[in-house]
């Protein structure tokens, strides 16, 4: 997750206008096991351990949310494929008349 810091406040995935007034940023990657895989501090800002910990917690929550969305989408896609009797994504189905990919 990409966090921007402005006067000890955290913005997650800020827009361009919000980024223009930020003091610095921290980029954190976590996995679904709540393990921190990557931390990068930028912009010359000094963060307290408490603020870094808070950002890590937010990253972990967002990772879980995004992972759930991906899993649900994949399950929906698999169900659609089973109903269609194929193991290929719908975008790769060939048209019978031309043999071209739809």
């Amino acid at each position: 997750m990409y966090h921007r810091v402005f006067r000890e406040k955290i913005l997650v995935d800020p827009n361009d206008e919000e980024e223009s007034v930020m003091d610095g940023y921290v980029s954190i990657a976590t996995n679904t096991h709540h393990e921190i895989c990557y931390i990068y501090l930028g912009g010359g800002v000094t963060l307290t351990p408490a603020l870094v910990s808070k950002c890590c917690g937010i990253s972990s929550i967002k990772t879980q949310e995004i992972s759930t969305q991906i899993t649900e989408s994949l399950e929906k896609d698999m169900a659609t494929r089973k109903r269609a009797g194929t193991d290929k994504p719908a975008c790769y189905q060939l048209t019978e008349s031309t043999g071209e990919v739809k």
Side-chain angles (χ1 to χ4, degrees):
M1 299 304 336
Y2 184 64
H3 303 45
R4 284 295 223 174
V5 182
F6 179 68
R7 295 184 185 153
E8 294 292 315
K9 298 200 188 291
I10 302 168
L11 294 175
V12 178
D13 295 330
N15 63 34
D16 290 340
E17 185 179 347
E18 292 166 333
E19 281 191 10
S20 70
V21 297
M22 297 297 105
D23 297 328
Y25 64 94
V26 58
S27 181
I28 301 172
T30 55
N31 62 25
T32 57
H33 303 289
H34 306 282
E35 298 167 332
I36 299 167
C37 302
Y38 172 87
I39 296 180
Y40 180 80
L41 299 173
V45 68
T46 302
L47 300 178
T48 64
L51 196 55
V52 172
S53 180
K54 186 174 183 176
C55 289
C56 289
I58 293 168
S59 179
S60 185
I61 290 168
K62 291 296 183 183
T63 296
Q64 294 298 325
E65 290 173 359
I66 292 168
S67 180
T68 297
Q69 290 174 348
I70 291 169
T71 300
E72 289 172 356
S73 293
L74 290 172
E75 288 171 353
K76 183 179 175 183
D77 180 64
M78 186 56 70
T80 301
R81 291 180 196 199
K82 283 184 179 182
R83 283 194 304 274
T86 184
D87 62 348
K88 294 183 179 158
C91 64
Y92 291 107
Q93 299 303 310
L94 298 177
T95 60
E96 290 183 27
S97 60
T98 64
E100 295 178 6
V101 176
K102 287 191 208 178

XYZ file of all heavy atoms in Angstrom:
789
model
N 0.831 -1.164 0.000
C 0.000 0.000 0.000
C 0.883 1.237 0.000
O 1.946 1.249 0.606
C -0.891 0.047 1.233
C -1.867 -1.094 1.425
S -3.084 -1.539 0.191
C -3.414 -0.204 -0.795
N 0.405 2.229 -0.613
C 1.141 3.482 -0.739
C 0.506 4.486 0.217
O -0.684 4.757 0.136
C 1.048 3.953 -2.184
C 1.818 5.181 -2.497
C 3.202 5.195 -2.397
C 1.175 6.328 -2.907
C 3.928 6.332 -2.711
C 1.890 7.465 -3.231
C 3.257 7.457 -3.131
O 3.983 8.579 -3.440
N 1.261 4.981 1.158
C 0.777 5.923 2.156
C 1.537 7.238 2.014
O 2.743 7.236 1.798
C 1.024 5.407 3.573
C 0.430 4.073 3.880
N 0.502 2.997 3.048
C -0.259 3.649 4.962
C -0.099 1.969 3.603
N -0.563 2.329 4.767
N 0.835 8.325 2.169
C 1.470 9.638 2.196
C 1.283 10.217 3.587
O 0.262 10.006 4.226
C 0.836 10.583 1.177
C 1.252 10.296 -0.246
C 2.705 10.532 -0.440
N 2.950 11.225 -1.678
C 4.115 11.652 -2.041
N 5.152 11.474 -1.291
N 4.274 12.266 -3.172
N 2.270 10.949 4.033
C 2.243 11.506 5.379
C 2.226 13.024 5.302
O 3.000 13.630 4.578
C 3.483 11.035 6.177
C 3.437 11.573 7.587
C 3.570 9.520 6.173
N 1.313 13.626 6.043
C 1.192 15.079 6.104
C 0.884 15.463 7.542
O -0.191 15.173 8.053
C 0.087 15.577 5.177
C -0.112 17.062 5.215
C 0.857 17.907 4.720
C -1.270 17.600 5.740
C 0.684 19.277 4.749
C -1.456 18.972 5.771
C -0.487 19.822 5.266
N 1.852 16.047 8.207
C 1.687 16.479 9.602
C 1.125 15.360 10.477
O 0.137 15.520 11.171
C 0.799 17.713 9.662
C 1.411 18.908 8.986
C 0.579 20.141 9.144
N 1.183 21.209 8.371
C 0.498 22.212 7.873
N -0.790 22.302 8.049
N 1.114 23.139 7.184
N 1.786 14.206 10.394
C 1.431 13.030 11.195
C 0.057 12.444 10.857
O -0.513 11.692 11.614
C 1.512 13.330 12.692
C 2.917 13.607 13.179
C 3.835 12.405 13.130
O 3.431 11.313 13.536
O 4.976 12.570 12.671
N -0.496 12.802 9.697
C -1.740 12.194 9.220
C -1.393 11.299 8.041
O -0.468 11.565 7.292
C -2.749 13.251 8.807
C -3.157 14.158 9.947
C -4.443 14.841 9.662
C -4.787 15.880 10.684
N -5.124 15.458 11.965
N -2.155 10.231 7.881
C -1.868 9.238 6.842
C -2.965 9.269 5.787
O -4.149 9.250 6.115
C -1.805 7.827 7.455
C -0.755 7.766 8.550
C -1.544 6.786 6.375
C -0.841 6.517 9.388
N -2.560 9.307 4.535
C -3.484 9.149 3.416
C -3.091 7.883 2.674
O -1.933 7.713 2.307
C -3.397 10.339 2.460
C -3.863 11.681 2.996
C -3.592 12.770 1.968
C -5.335 11.636 3.334
N -4.053 7.014 2.458
C -3.786 5.778 1.733
C -4.167 5.998 0.275
O -5.275 6.440 -0.026
C -4.602 4.609 2.338
C -4.368 3.331 1.551
C -4.233 4.413 3.807
N -3.246 5.683 -0.625
C -3.437 5.860 -2.069
C -3.991 7.241 -2.410
O -5.083 7.376 -2.948
C -4.340 4.755 -2.621
C -3.710 3.396 -2.517
O -2.467 3.307 -2.583
O -4.441 2.404 -2.363
N -3.233 8.302 -2.095
C -3.707 9.669 -2.328
C -3.790 10.021 -3.811
O -3.118 9.425 -4.644
C -2.637 10.519 -1.643
C -1.409 9.688 -1.717
C -1.874 8.262 -1.579
N -4.633 11.014 -4.093
C -4.727 11.509 -5.474
C -3.611 12.533 -5.714
O -2.843 12.869 -4.812
C -6.126 12.085 -5.747
C -6.438 13.295 -4.886
O -5.572 14.100 -4.547
N -7.704 13.442 -4.508
N -3.524 13.048 -6.925
C -2.440 13.967 -7.294
C -2.442 15.242 -6.445
O -1.390 15.723 -6.037
C -2.525 14.342 -8.772
C -2.186 13.190 -9.690
O -1.527 12.242 -9.229
O -2.577 13.239 -10.872
N -3.620 15.791 -6.191
C -3.710 17.018 -5.403
C -3.220 16.785 -3.975
O -2.486 17.594 -3.416
C -5.152 17.519 -5.391
C -5.339 18.844 -4.697
C -6.772 19.329 -4.726
O -7.590 18.772 -5.474
O -7.073 20.276 -3.976
N -3.613 15.662 -3.384
C -3.177 15.338 -2.025
C -1.669 15.108 -1.973
O -1.001 15.532 -1.035
C -3.927 14.104 -1.518
C -5.403 14.352 -1.303
C -6.210 13.088 -1.133
O -5.805 12.024 -1.648
O -7.277 13.167 -0.496
N -1.138 14.451 -3.001
C 0.303 14.204 -3.042
C 1.113 15.491 -3.099
O 2.229 15.558 -2.579
C 0.665 13.327 -4.240
C 0.380 11.874 -4.021
C 0.987 11.005 -5.111
O 1.774 11.515 -5.930
O 0.676 9.811 -5.119
N 0.557 16.511 -3.725
C 1.312 17.758 -3.914
C 1.609 18.483 -2.603
O 2.488 19.335 -2.561
C 0.569 18.681 -4.879
O -0.614 19.175 -4.276
N 0.914 18.169 -1.510
C 1.128 18.857 -0.238
C 1.717 17.946 0.841
O 1.826 18.347 1.993
C -0.179 19.492 0.289
C -0.676 20.563 -0.660
C -1.238 18.441 0.534
N 2.134 16.760 0.464
C 2.619 15.799 1.449
C 4.072 16.062 1.851
O 4.869 16.543 1.067
C 2.515 14.370 0.907
C 1.088 13.921 0.630
S 0.073 13.865 2.091
C -0.934 15.317 1.860
N 4.369 15.719 3.088
C 5.723 15.860 3.609
C 6.622 14.710 3.161
O 7.822 14.871 3.029
C 5.702 15.880 5.142
C 4.925 17.072 5.686
O 4.932 18.123 5.037
O 4.319 16.928 6.763
N 6.062 13.541 2.960
C 6.825 12.363 2.576
C 5.892 11.194 2.367
O 4.672 11.344 2.402
N 6.470 10.027 2.131
C 5.628 8.862 1.911
C 6.302 7.604 2.428
O 7.509 7.556 2.639
C 5.273 8.705 0.434
C 6.456 8.448 -0.471
C 6.821 7.152 -0.795
C 7.191 9.493 -0.999
C 7.906 6.908 -1.619
C 8.268 9.260 -1.817
C 8.628 7.964 -2.127
O 9.702 7.737 -2.933
N 5.481 6.613 2.641
C 5.965 5.287 3.014
C 5.204 4.294 2.148
O 3.990 4.387 1.989
C 5.799 5.001 4.529
C 4.354 5.117 4.970
C 6.333 3.624 4.891
N 5.926 3.390 1.551
C 5.332 2.329 0.745
C 5.567 1.019 1.484
O 6.710 0.697 1.828
C 5.982 2.301 -0.636
O 5.405 1.294 -1.432
N 4.486 0.289 1.744
C 4.581 -0.937 2.526
C 3.884 -2.066 1.780
O 2.770 -1.900 1.298
C 3.932 -0.764 3.913
C 4.625 0.366 4.673
C 3.969 -2.064 4.709
C 3.956 0.748 5.966
N 4.546 -3.208 1.705
C 3.943 -4.408 1.118
C 3.833 -5.462 2.203
O 4.812 -5.749 2.904
C 4.790 -4.926 -0.041
N 2.643 -6.011 2.342
C 2.422 -7.109 3.277
C 1.775 -8.256 2.516
O 1.217 -8.057 1.439
C 1.509 -6.693 4.444
O 0.291 -6.164 3.927
C 2.166 -5.639 5.316
N 1.855 -9.442 3.079
C 1.190 -10.576 2.442
C -0.028 -10.982 3.260
O -0.335 -10.365 4.281
C 2.167 -11.745 2.229
C 2.724 -12.289 3.527
O 2.129 -12.184 4.601
N 3.897 -12.899 3.440
N -0.721 -12.006 2.811
C -1.957 -12.428 3.474
C -1.718 -13.069 4.831
O -2.670 -13.319 5.566
C -2.760 -13.401 2.591
O -1.929 -14.514 2.273
C -3.238 -12.723 1.321
N -0.467 -13.306 5.171
C -0.127 -13.855 6.492
C 0.254 -12.732 7.463
O 0.800 -13.002 8.535
C 1.024 -14.856 6.375
C 0.732 -15.969 5.430
N -0.182 -16.958 5.705
C 1.202 -16.225 4.194
C -0.249 -17.786 4.684
N 0.588 -17.366 3.753
N 0.005 -11.489 7.062
C 0.300 -10.295 7.860
C 1.798 -10.082 8.066
O 2.218 -9.441 9.021
C -0.425 -10.328 9.210
C -1.893 -10.530 9.098
N -2.755 -9.520 8.743
C -2.659 -11.644 9.252
C -3.987 -9.995 8.703
N -3.952 -11.281 8.997
N 2.604 -10.609 7.158
C 4.046 -10.413 7.224
C 4.430 -9.197 6.385
O 3.914 -9.013 5.283
C 4.775 -11.647 6.694
C 4.504 -12.895 7.507
C 4.951 -14.163 6.815
O 4.977 -14.214 5.567
O 5.285 -15.109 7.544
N 5.336 -8.392 6.908
C 5.822 -7.223 6.179
C 6.892 -7.701 5.198
O 7.883 -8.298 5.591
C 6.396 -6.172 7.132
C 5.315 -5.702 8.094
C 6.993 -5.002 6.359
C 5.845 -4.905 9.261
N 6.672 -7.444 3.925
C 7.604 -7.883 2.886
C 8.504 -6.748 2.408
O 9.574 -6.999 1.862
C 6.821 -8.448 1.702
S 5.745 -9.820 2.145
N 8.055 -5.510 2.594
C 8.789 -4.380 2.023
C 8.347 -3.102 2.720
O 7.162 -2.905 2.961
C 8.454 -4.308 0.535
C 8.957 -3.110 -0.212
C 10.231 -3.100 -0.760
C 8.144 -1.991 -0.411
C 10.686 -2.002 -1.475
C 8.600 -0.895 -1.128
C 9.868 -0.902 -1.649
O 10.321 0.170 -2.352
N 9.285 -2.250 3.041
C 8.993 -0.903 3.540
C 9.971 0.057 2.877
O 11.169 -0.201 2.837
C 9.150 -0.782 5.074
C 8.140 -1.653 5.802
C 8.977 0.676 5.513
C 8.249 -1.586 7.318
N 9.449 1.148 2.358
C 10.294 2.186 1.786
C 9.795 3.536 2.280
O 8.616 3.866 2.136
C 10.261 2.148 0.257
C 11.130 3.216 -0.350
C 12.501 3.040 -0.452
C 10.582 4.417 -0.788
C 13.313 4.022 -0.984
C 11.391 5.411 -1.319
C 12.753 5.206 -1.416
O 13.559 6.181 -1.934
N 10.675 4.302 2.870
C 10.356 5.657 3.320
C 10.962 6.635 2.335
O 12.132 6.509 1.967
C 10.927 5.919 4.716
C 10.421 5.019 5.839
C 11.208 5.288 7.114
C 8.948 5.241 6.075
N 10.179 7.616 1.920
C 10.688 8.591 0.969
C 10.260 10.000 1.312
O 9.385 10.232 2.140
N 10.897 10.937 0.685
C 10.524 12.331 0.865
C 11.191 13.025 2.025
O 10.834 14.141 2.382
N 12.135 12.368 2.678
C 12.871 13.008 3.747
C 12.106 13.179 5.046
O 12.516 13.931 5.910
N 10.990 12.514 5.187
C 10.206 12.630 6.407
C 10.667 11.582 7.424
O 11.064 10.478 7.058
C 8.699 12.483 6.121
C 8.351 11.088 5.679
C 7.869 12.889 7.319
N 10.671 11.968 8.694
C 10.996 11.040 9.769
C 9.685 10.580 10.399
O 8.859 11.415 10.796
C 11.877 11.717 10.830
O 13.058 12.192 10.195
C 12.250 10.743 11.922
N 9.486 9.280 10.476
C 8.257 8.743 11.047
C 8.535 8.100 12.398
O 9.568 7.467 12.591
C 7.652 7.695 10.108
C 7.276 8.165 8.716
C 6.728 7.007 7.900
C 6.249 9.287 8.783
N 7.594 8.246 13.291
C 7.706 7.598 14.591
C 7.435 6.106 14.424
O 6.716 5.699 13.486
C 6.695 8.179 15.594
O 5.374 7.893 15.130
C 6.885 9.681 15.763
N 7.959 5.287 15.314
C 7.650 3.852 15.247
C 6.143 3.580 15.317
O 5.640 2.682 14.641
C 8.376 3.275 16.459
C 9.521 4.205 16.686
C 8.975 5.568 16.336
N 5.427 4.381 16.085
C 3.974 4.196 16.200
C 3.281 4.456 14.858
O 2.347 3.733 14.476
C 3.408 5.109 17.274
N 3.734 5.475 14.140
C 3.128 5.791 12.846
C 3.458 4.723 11.806
O 2.597 4.335 11.013
C 3.584 7.172 12.367
C 2.781 7.806 11.245
C 1.304 7.898 11.598
C 3.318 9.185 10.932
N 4.682 4.222 11.807
C 5.058 3.138 10.898
C 4.222 1.900 11.214
O 3.711 1.233 10.320
C 6.567 2.827 10.983
C 6.905 1.575 10.180
C 7.380 4.007 10.487
N 4.040 1.609 12.488
C 3.228 0.466 12.902
C 1.787 0.618 12.437
O 1.167 -0.338 11.959
C 3.278 0.324 14.425
O 2.506 -0.773 14.842
N 1.258 1.833 12.550
C -0.111 2.092 12.090
C -0.215 1.877 10.578
O -1.175 1.268 10.092
C -0.527 3.514 12.459
C -1.960 3.825 12.156
C -2.354 5.194 12.688
C -3.821 5.450 12.432
N -4.239 6.735 13.017
N 0.768 2.354 9.832
C 0.770 2.160 8.373
C 0.849 0.671 8.026
O 0.189 0.214 7.092
C 1.939 2.901 7.742
S 1.778 4.690 7.746
N 1.645 -0.075 8.768
C 1.742 -1.524 8.534
C 0.407 -2.206 8.787
O 0.003 -3.106 8.043
C 2.828 -2.137 9.413
S 4.493 -1.699 8.907
N -0.295 -1.775 9.821
C -1.616 -2.332 10.112
C -2.606 -2.039 9.002
O -3.379 -2.919 8.591
N -2.594 -0.813 8.498
C -3.480 -0.438 7.389
C -3.149 -1.267 6.157
O -4.039 -1.783 5.473
C -3.363 1.069 7.082
C -3.923 1.886 8.243
C -4.077 1.416 5.775
C -3.587 3.369 8.164
N -1.865 -1.427 5.871
C -1.438 -2.217 4.721
C -1.928 -3.656 4.830
O -2.405 -4.246 3.863
C 0.085 -2.185 4.603
O 0.518 -2.947 3.511
N -1.827 -4.208 6.013
C -2.262 -5.588 6.229
C -3.762 -5.739 5.999
O -4.218 -6.695 5.359
C -1.894 -6.018 7.653
O -2.190 -7.365 7.852
N -4.538 -4.782 6.493
C -5.998 -4.818 6.291
C -6.331 -4.705 4.812
O -7.158 -5.452 4.281
C -6.675 -3.691 7.097
C -6.592 -3.992 8.597
C -8.122 -3.497 6.666
C -6.962 -2.815 9.481
N -5.691 -3.763 4.120
C -5.952 -3.580 2.682
C -5.538 -4.810 1.884
O -6.197 -5.187 0.919
C -5.234 -2.326 2.165
C -5.816 -1.047 2.688
C -7.237 -0.884 2.198
C -7.845 0.407 2.619
N -9.253 0.511 2.198
N -4.439 -5.438 2.273
C -3.997 -6.663 1.605
C -5.063 -7.739 1.727
O -5.376 -8.428 0.746
C -2.664 -7.161 2.199
O -1.655 -6.187 1.931
C -2.253 -8.495 1.613
N -5.643 -7.886 2.901
C -6.701 -8.877 3.105
C -7.920 -8.552 2.241
O -8.508 -9.444 1.614
C -7.110 -8.946 4.585
C -6.034 -9.462 5.502
C -5.624 -10.888 5.192
O -6.422 -11.722 4.796
N -4.343 -11.171 5.357
N -8.313 -7.280 2.200
C -9.465 -6.869 1.398
C -9.245 -7.160 -0.085
O -10.105 -7.720 -0.763
C -9.750 -5.374 1.595
C -10.279 -5.018 2.951
C -10.401 -3.516 3.170
O -10.045 -2.722 2.264
O -10.847 -3.123 4.263
N -8.077 -6.778 -0.595
C -7.777 -6.986 -2.015
C -7.664 -8.470 -2.328
O -8.162 -8.936 -3.355
C -6.500 -6.217 -2.405
C -6.762 -4.714 -2.333
C -6.006 -6.618 -3.791
C -5.517 -3.850 -2.408
N -7.040 -9.228 -1.451
C -6.910 -10.674 -1.650
C -8.289 -11.342 -1.711
O -8.528 -12.219 -2.541
C -6.071 -11.283 -0.529
O -5.944 -12.661 -0.708
N -9.193 -10.908 -0.846
C -10.555 -11.450 -0.851
C -11.257 -11.121 -2.166
O -11.921 -11.981 -2.758
C -11.352 -10.885 0.344
O -10.730 -11.313 1.551
C -12.789 -11.355 0.330
N -11.110 -9.896 -2.649
C -11.711 -9.507 -3.927
C -11.171 -10.352 -5.075
O -11.932 -10.795 -5.942
C -11.468 -8.027 -4.217
C -12.234 -7.087 -3.328
C -11.852 -5.630 -3.569
O -10.875 -5.311 -4.245
N -12.634 -4.731 -2.988
N -9.878 -10.584 -5.088
C -9.262 -11.390 -6.142
C -9.774 -12.821 -6.078
O -10.159 -13.404 -7.097
C -7.722 -11.345 -6.044
C -7.213 -9.952 -6.416
C -7.082 -12.413 -6.928
C -5.750 -9.729 -6.103
N -9.802 -13.389 -4.878
C -10.278 -14.763 -4.709
C -11.721 -14.899 -5.165
O -12.071 -15.851 -5.879
C -10.139 -15.204 -3.233
O -8.754 -15.135 -2.879
C -10.646 -16.616 -3.021
N -12.576 -13.955 -4.776
C -13.983 -13.994 -5.184
C -14.119 -13.886 -6.698
O -14.931 -14.586 -7.305
C -14.770 -12.886 -4.493
C -14.973 -13.139 -3.018
C -15.584 -11.958 -2.270
O -15.781 -10.880 -2.903
O -15.845 -12.100 -1.069
N -13.316 -13.021 -7.322
C -13.367 -12.879 -8.787
C -12.921 -14.161 -9.481
O -13.519 -14.580 -10.478
C -12.486 -11.718 -9.248
O -13.012 -10.498 -8.816
N -11.874 -14.785 -8.965
C -11.396 -16.037 -9.559
C -12.422 -17.158 -9.398
O -12.637 -17.957 -10.323
C -10.064 -16.446 -8.937
C -8.869 -15.580 -9.306
C -7.653 -15.965 -8.476
C -8.556 -15.674 -10.792
N -13.066 -17.218 -8.241
C -14.100 -18.234 -8.027
C -15.287 -18.012 -8.949
O -15.841 -18.965 -9.515
C -14.548 -18.229 -6.561
C -13.500 -18.805 -5.624
C -13.831 -18.602 -4.158
O -14.821 -17.891 -3.833
O -13.086 -19.155 -3.328
N -15.684 -16.765 -9.134
C -16.783 -16.439 -10.052
C -16.409 -16.820 -11.482
O -17.205 -17.404 -12.219
C -17.105 -14.952 -9.966
C -18.268 -14.530 -10.816
C -18.541 -13.041 -10.642
C -19.639 -12.585 -11.581
N -19.867 -11.139 -11.466
N -15.177 -16.508 -11.878
C -14.704 -16.855 -13.215
C -14.693 -18.371 -13.419
O -15.108 -18.865 -14.470
C -13.314 -16.278 -13.446
C -12.775 -16.606 -14.823
O -13.369 -16.139 -15.818
O -11.771 -17.343 -14.902
N -14.232 -19.114 -12.414
C -14.196 -20.570 -12.522
C -15.598 -21.149 -12.648
O -15.835 -22.059 -13.437
C -13.474 -21.182 -11.314
C -13.271 -22.680 -11.428
S -12.376 -23.204 -12.914
C -10.763 -22.599 -12.572
N -16.556 -20.596 -11.901
C -17.938 -21.056 -11.998
C -18.506 -20.779 -13.388
O -19.200 -21.623 -13.966
C -18.796 -20.381 -10.925
N -18.177 -19.622 -13.939
C -18.630 -19.277 -15.289
C -18.030 -20.241 -16.311
O -18.715 -20.707 -17.229
C -18.226 -17.831 -15.640
O -18.818 -16.951 -14.682
C -18.676 -17.446 -17.032
N -16.755 -20.582 -16.147
C -16.099 -21.517 -17.058
C -16.737 -22.901 -16.972
O -16.935 -23.562 -17.983
C -14.616 -21.628 -16.740
C -13.827 -20.394 -17.054
C -12.391 -20.614 -16.703
N -11.653 -19.368 -16.637
C -10.345 -19.302 -16.715
N -9.619 -20.388 -16.836
N -9.738 -18.143 -16.640
N -17.039 -23.342 -15.751
C -17.651 -24.668 -15.581
C -19.012 -24.723 -16.260
O -19.351 -25.712 -16.911
C -17.771 -25.020 -14.100
C -16.460 -25.442 -13.493
C -16.640 -25.871 -12.057
C -15.300 -26.303 -11.480
N -15.423 -26.767 -10.102
N -19.809 -23.639 -16.085
C -21.126 -23.598 -16.743
C -20.979 -23.622 -18.255
O -21.796 -24.195 -18.961
C -21.900 -22.357 -16.302
C -22.512 -22.471 -14.929
C -23.537 -21.378 -14.659
N -23.012 -20.024 -14.826
C -22.371 -19.327 -13.896
N -22.153 -19.866 -12.719
N -21.946 -18.112 -14.136
N -19.915 -22.992 -18.782
C -19.693 -22.949 -20.228
C -19.010 -24.214 -20.739
O -18.881 -24.412 -21.936
C -18.852 -21.725 -20.587
N -18.546 -25.060 -19.813
C -17.891 -26.301 -20.214
C -16.495 -26.101 -20.772
O -16.061 -26.839 -21.663
N -15.780 -25.128 -20.274
C -14.435 -24.859 -20.760
C -13.520 -24.507 -19.588
O -13.982 -24.164 -18.512
C -14.414 -23.708 -21.791
O -13.080 -23.563 -22.281
C -14.865 -22.404 -21.185
N -12.228 -24.609 -19.824
C -11.281 -24.197 -18.798
C -10.569 -22.910 -19.186
O -9.665 -22.451 -18.513
C -10.248 -25.298 -18.526
C -9.414 -25.625 -19.751
O -9.759 -25.175 -20.860
O -8.409 -26.334 -19.591
N -10.992 -22.305 -20.318
C -10.365 -21.072 -20.796
C -11.237 -19.870 -20.434
O -12.449 -19.974 -20.381
C -10.184 -21.124 -22.304
C -9.196 -22.187 -22.717
C -8.971 -22.187 -24.190
C -7.951 -23.261 -24.502
N -7.996 -23.725 -25.832
N -10.605 -18.715 -20.194
C -11.384 -17.507 -19.911
C -12.284 -17.156 -21.086
O -11.968 -17.456 -22.242
C -10.334 -16.425 -19.718
C -9.044 -17.127 -19.544
C -9.184 -18.477 -20.182
N -13.392 -16.511 -20.798
C -14.352 -16.136 -21.840
C -13.705 -15.288 -22.925
O -14.054 -15.402 -24.092
C -15.533 -15.396 -21.222
N -12.743 -14.469 -22.586
C -12.113 -13.601 -23.584
C -11.295 -14.391 -24.600
O -10.936 -13.876 -25.643
C -11.256 -12.537 -22.918
S -9.858 -13.192 -22.001
N -11.000 -15.670 -24.322
C -10.218 -16.490 -25.242
C -11.062 -17.482 -26.025
O -10.528 -18.319 -26.717
C -9.124 -17.248 -24.489
C -8.054 -16.332 -23.964
C -7.957 -16.054 -22.616
C -7.158 -15.733 -24.835
C -6.977 -15.200 -22.139
C -6.176 -14.881 -24.369
C -6.091 -14.628 -23.018
O -5.134 -13.782 -22.550
N -12.374 -17.400 -25.888
C -13.234 -18.320 -26.618
C -13.178 -17.998 -28.115
O -13.243 -16.848 -28.526
C -14.681 -18.217 -26.117
C -14.848 -18.572 -24.652
C -14.341 -19.969 -24.345
O -14.697 -20.915 -25.028
N -13.514 -20.076 -23.337
N -13.036 -19.020 -28.910
C -12.984 -18.830 -30.355
C -14.388 -18.828 -30.932
O -15.250 -19.591 -30.499
C -12.176 -19.950 -31.009
C -10.715 -20.053 -30.594
C -10.069 -21.247 -31.280
C -9.969 -18.787 -30.943
N -14.606 -17.978 -31.918
C -15.888 -18.017 -32.600
C -15.868 -19.208 -33.546
O -14.857 -19.511 -34.177
C -16.131 -16.715 -33.399
O -15.089 -16.574 -34.365
C -16.161 -15.501 -32.485
N -16.972 -19.918 -33.620
C -17.019 -21.124 -34.438
C -16.881 -20.822 -35.916
O -16.241 -21.562 -36.645
C -18.335 -21.860 -34.168
C -18.378 -22.480 -32.799
C -19.662 -23.258 -32.568
O -20.249 -23.742 -33.547
O -20.054 -23.352 -31.402
N -17.443 -19.704 -36.354
C -17.436 -19.433 -37.784
C -16.078 -18.975 -38.304
O -15.662 -19.359 -39.388
C -18.496 -18.373 -38.118
O -18.215 -17.183 -37.422
N -15.339 -18.172 -37.568
C -14.091 -17.618 -38.081
C -12.852 -18.180 -37.414
O -11.764 -18.049 -37.955
C -14.060 -16.084 -37.891
O -14.065 -15.811 -36.492
C -15.231 -15.409 -38.572
N -12.997 -18.784 -36.244
C -11.845 -19.301 -35.526
C -11.023 -18.207 -34.862
O -9.915 -18.432 -34.403
N -11.563 -16.980 -34.828
C -10.859 -15.873 -34.210
C -11.208 -15.765 -32.732
O -12.252 -16.201 -32.298
C -11.238 -14.564 -34.905
C -10.777 -14.500 -36.350
C -11.214 -13.212 -37.011
O -11.763 -12.328 -36.333
O -11.013 -13.086 -38.226
N -10.300 -15.181 -32.012
C -10.542 -14.949 -30.590
C -11.520 -13.804 -30.441
O -11.382 -12.775 -31.086
C -9.214 -14.601 -29.866
C -9.474 -14.258 -28.413
C -8.242 -15.759 -29.977
N -12.513 -14.011 -29.584
C -13.498 -12.936 -29.320
C -12.850 -11.865 -28.484
O -12.104 -12.123 -27.598
C -14.696 -13.459 -28.558
C -15.621 -14.304 -29.332
C -16.852 -14.493 -28.497
C -17.567 -15.768 -28.767
N -18.718 -15.975 -27.953
